[in-house]
Amino acid sequence: MFDYPSFIQLNLTNKCNLKCKHCSNESGSPYPNELDDNEIFDLLEYFLSKQIVCITFGGGEPLLHPRIFDFIEYSIKRKARITLLSNGVLINEKTAIKLVDMGVSRIRISLDGSTPEINDFIRSPGSFNGATQALTNLNNAGIKDLAVMTSVNSFNISDIENIILLLIKLGIKDIKLIPTISTGRAKTGFNDYILKGNFIKQLITKKDELIDKYKKYIYISIDSPLEAILHTNNAEKLEKCGPCIIGQVFLGIKANGDIFSCPMLDSVVIGNIKKDKIEQVWRDSTILNQVRDLTKLTGKCSSCKIKQICGGGCRAMSLIYKGDITAPDPYCWKQ
């Protein structure tokens, strides 16, 4: 445990120009009690005084906030490293150049299919063209660190290689595969597409095959600590694995001030900046401390030899599907 989180995600608004079927925080309309501009600036000043490694601006769609560029400028002038999470629809040539000229070096664009038919079914009509055009615009503008985030489910899992081929064609050199989980809007409108069984094992195996095939062109990663199981006897690959970020380096703030512990657990609130001190939440939160203490892991994790590396798998999965953040990751196949 670090004394303070080093990676902060600040969701500026819940307003979004898309209505993705799997959205964990059900973005669309803004919250009625979103942080005002002064509260956001005060929050940024507080984080910057703590020498945060990276501040991520998310949403909703952060580019819909009228002061987004002011927040970016304020942070970069204080030497902060900025990441922008976006669906890309609003990133035209002018906006791409402006973001790069301001000093934004890391941008993550969501893309869930290699065609409009696949992507737009999941994310919203027009989102494929918006995302791919944004990737082109940002590449042309000279962005240093550009990646695609793909939420994987039964509707698009067979399309992953085609997505990678599309990204290579577009000159994109980084993609992260994120398992879709049953939370937020996905729980009601997309639950039939949530993959079950040995899905994570199959996805990690597929990812390794794709790495061998395309490693000269693109970096492929997956958001799952369970990678450690497949790489137990491979020191080089095992070194790249790690436990869940909950309680270790990450803390998120929703647009209404709610504090959340993990990008996949923004529905689980552990405090609110309007009434709670962040240091106290970071230090005393029951959920965070349960995750940090690996002796609290239950079931097969309690005696597993690699629990120090995988940390019991994805804690969000355990809490969402089993109602217990100390339970084994439901996708873990290790006996």
Side-chain angles (χ1 to χ4, degrees):
M1 173 187 170
F2 293 95
D3 291 335
Y4 197 83
S6 50
F7 293 87
I8 294 292
Q9 180 172 323
L10 177 55
N11 293 343
L12 298 174
T13 179
N14 199 56
K15 186 178 181 180
C16 190
N17 48 346
L18 302 183
K19 195 171 183 179
C20 303
K21 290 181 173 67
H22 57 2
C23 182
S24 63
N25 58 356
E26 302 183 82
S27 295
S29 300
Y31 296 132
N33 56 341
E34 293 194 341
L35 299 174
D36 63 33
D37 295 348
N38 289 332
E39 287 175 313
I40 292 174
F41 276 117
D42 288 345
L43 194 55
L44 288 173
E45 177 58 33
Y46 172 77
F47 290 145
L48 293 166
S49 71
K50 299 293 184 180
Q51 297 182 322
I52 296 296
V53 173
C54 180
I55 296 176
T56 296
F57 289 123
E61 171 52 55
L63 288 171
L64 285 172
H65 196 291
R67 300 292 300 277
I68 176 63
F69 294 109
D70 295 325
F71 299 144
I72 290 173
E73 182 180 37
Y74 182 81
S75 303
I76 288 178
K77 281 185 176 180
R78 294 285 302 276
K79 309 300 182 183
R81 186 184 182 191
I82 297 300
T83 297
L84 181 70
L85 303 179
S86 175
N87 57 45
V89 173
L90 299 176
I91 303 180
N92 55 27
E93 289 184 17
K94 182 179 179 181
T95 300
I97 292 170
K98 183 173 183 176
L99 288 168
V100 173
D101 287 348
M102 291 183 75
V104 177
S105 59
R106 302 178 78 244
I107 296 181
R108 301 294 180 258
I109 301 293
S110 299
L111 183 70
D112 291 343
S114 66
T115 66
E117 291 73 23
I118 299 174
N119 180 84
D120 292 5
F121 171 78
I122 301 171
R123 301 195 59 79
S124 284
S127 58
F128 175 84
N129 290 335
T132 53
Q133 189 59 57
L135 292 169
T136 298
N137 293 338
L138 289 164
N139 242 354
N140 291 341
I143 190 75
K144 293 179 181 178
D145 187 347
L146 177 62
V148 160
M149 301 177 73
T150 297
S151 183
V152 182
N153 45 72
S154 67
F155 194 80
N156 69 356
I157 189 168
S158 61
D159 192 45
I160 291 175
E161 186 166 7
N162 290 330
I163 295 174
I164 289 170
L165 289 171
L166 171 65
L167 296 184
I168 291 172
K169 183 178 179 180
L170 293 173
I172 308 304
K173 299 179 180 180
D174 195 337
I175 180 174
K176 172 168 278 193
L177 307 175
I178 304 170
T180 305
I181 62 174
S182 184
T183 184
R185 196 176 289 138
K187 190 173 183 179
T188 54
F190 202 66
N191 205 46
D192 289 344
Y193 296 97
I194 306 296
L195 286 155
K196 300 174 178 65
N198 277 347
F199 159 52
I200 299 294
K201 180 181 181 181
Q202 295 166 7
L203 185 59
I204 295 171
T205 302
K206 180 65 174 177
K207 180 217 63 167
D208 287 345
E209 293 172 358
L210 292 171
I211 287 175
D212 289 339
K213 200 170 181 179
Y214 300 111
K215 59 186 174 184
K216 291 183 179 179
Y217 310 102
I218 191 168
Y219 177 75
I220 308 168
S221 60
I222 182 173
D223 197 8
S224 174
L226 295 181
E227 272 195 289
I229 300 174
L230 287 182
H231 303 321
T232 303
N233 299 318
N234 187 319
E236 182 180 350
K237 289 185 177 181
L238 192 62
E239 187 178 339
K240 298 177 182 178
C241 300
C244 185
I245 63 174
I246 295 180
Q248 307 300 324
V249 296
F250 175 91
L251 206 63
I253 312 293
K254 299 178 78 169
N256 61 0
D258 284 344
I259 303 170
F260 59 96
S261 60
C262 161
M264 298 174 75
L265 272 183
D266 53 7
S267 60
V268 179
V269 176
I270 59 175
N272 187 288
I273 62 163
K274 295 180 180 181
K275 62 183 181 63
D276 300 308
K277 293 184 177 180
I278 291 177
E279 291 99 329
Q280 186 173 1
V281 171
W282 181 251
R283 184 183 67 243
D284 299 336
S285 165
T286 300
I287 284 179
L288 297 186
N289 283 318
Q290 282 180 315
V291 174
R292 289 167 182 150
D293 186 356
L294 296 182
T295 65
K296 295 185 181 299
L297 288 172
T298 61
K300 61 184 178 181
C301 290
S302 61
S303 58
C304 182
K305 293 180 180 179
I306 65 167
K307 68 178 181 181
Q308 296 292 337
I309 299 172
C310 86
C314 176
R315 304 291 80 216
M317 298 283 195
S318 299
L319 188 59
I320 289 168
Y321 293 117
K322 294 188 174 184
D324 181 0
I325 205 164
T326 68
D329 186 321
Y331 284 105
C332 178
W333 63 90
K334 197 173 186 296
Q335 298 300 318

